[in-house]
Amino acid sequence: MKAAKIVMTSLAAASLVTTAALAQQSMSGMVTKIDRLSGTISIQQTQGGTVGASGGAIQEYKVPKGQSLEAFHAGDKVSFTTTDSDGGKTINKLDKQK
């Protein structure tokens, strides 16, 4: 019985760690709109695949209060990571691509 509890506890811990790692996604795209007053940025994700494929959907992301958007402008190509939070997706890391 103790062995079963240990196995179940280990499985539960492993699933929590895996879920947290999968929640953070690394993506790239182009900035389409920045709202500095509300702290949001809209990014059209880069569509992978065949030549001539249209861009992905435009998604709006929240930006943490400490992160500045002054260096970014519409049309900039960026790479970013996000996490799902209470009211939507939040940007964790945002970098300009060269």
Side-chain angles (χ1 to χ4, degrees), residues 11-35:
L11 287 173
S15 80
L16 287 175
V17 170
T18 304
T19 302
L22 292 176
Q24 187 171 0
Q25 305 168 3
S26 181
M27 297 172 274
S28 63
M30 183 178 68
V31 176
T32 58
K33 180 178 131 185
I34 297 174
D35 187 344

Side-chain angles (χ1 to χ4, degrees), residues 47-61:
Q47 190 74 19
T50 63
V51 175
S54 62
I58 297 173
Q59 180 78 34
E60 185 172 89
Y61 301 95

Side-chain angles (χ1 to χ4, degrees), residues 43-83:
I43 300 174
Q44 182 176 18
Q45 287 185 321
T46 303
Q47 190 74 19
T50 63
V51 175
S54 62
I58 297 173
Q59 180 78 34
E60 185 172 89
Y61 301 95
K62 294 179 184 177
V63 178
K65 290 202 184 268
Q67 188 169 1
S68 174
L69 293 173
E70 292 302 317
F72 299 96
H73 304 285
D76 287 346
K77 294 190 187 260
V78 295
S79 58
F80 59 101
T81 58
T82 65
T83 55

